Amino acid sequence: AEHIVYRPADKHGFSVERSEDDVFVIKGKGIELLIARFDVRNDEALRHVESRLRSIGVIRELERKGFHSGDEIEIAGERFELDV
């Protein structure tokens, strides 16, 4: 017999943790797919990503964890600064 185990996702669908080197690491399938679609080294694309992160609630969660504008974040292995 084959069994499928369903586990509830984090209530936001993403998680935010602060690494030892003070980088905010964001995990979550939807967030990682968003980053895969855009080149965060492109200013226009980064503005779009920041807007989406804000609408999803990621920026609010980052700030709750101590994030300040200009801090570095990491999503799916991509590290970049957010100036929000």
Side-chain angles (χ1 to χ4, degrees), residues 1-8:
E2 191 172 315
H3 297 279
I4 297 174
V5 176
Y6 293 97
R7 291 188 174 86

Side-chain angles (χ1 to χ4, degrees), residues 41-55:
R41 290 173 289 281
N42 175 298
D43 288 338
E44 187 176 331
L46 184 57
R47 279 193 302 273
H48 177 76
V49 167
E50 287 176 7
S51 173
R52 292 297 313 258
L53 293 176
R54 183 172 302 285
S55 69

Side-chain angles (χ1 to χ4, degrees), residues 1-2 4 7 14 21 23 25 29-31 35 40 45-46 48 52 56-57 64-65 68 78 80:
E2 191 172 315
I4 297 174
R7 291 188 174 86
F14 63 87
D21 55 350
V23 174
V25 180
K29 186 162 180 83
I31 306 295
I35 292 301
V40 294
L46 184 57
H48 177 76
R52 292 297 313 258
I56 295 168
R64 195 177 76 70
K65 299 272 183 157
H68 298 287
E78 288 282 337
F80 53 97

Side-chain angles (χ1 to χ4, degrees), residues 67-80:
F67 173 84
H68 298 287
S69 187
D71 285 350
E72 192 171 39
I73 67 168
E74 179 178 326
I75 304 173
E78 288 282 337
R79 282 190 176 193
F80 53 97

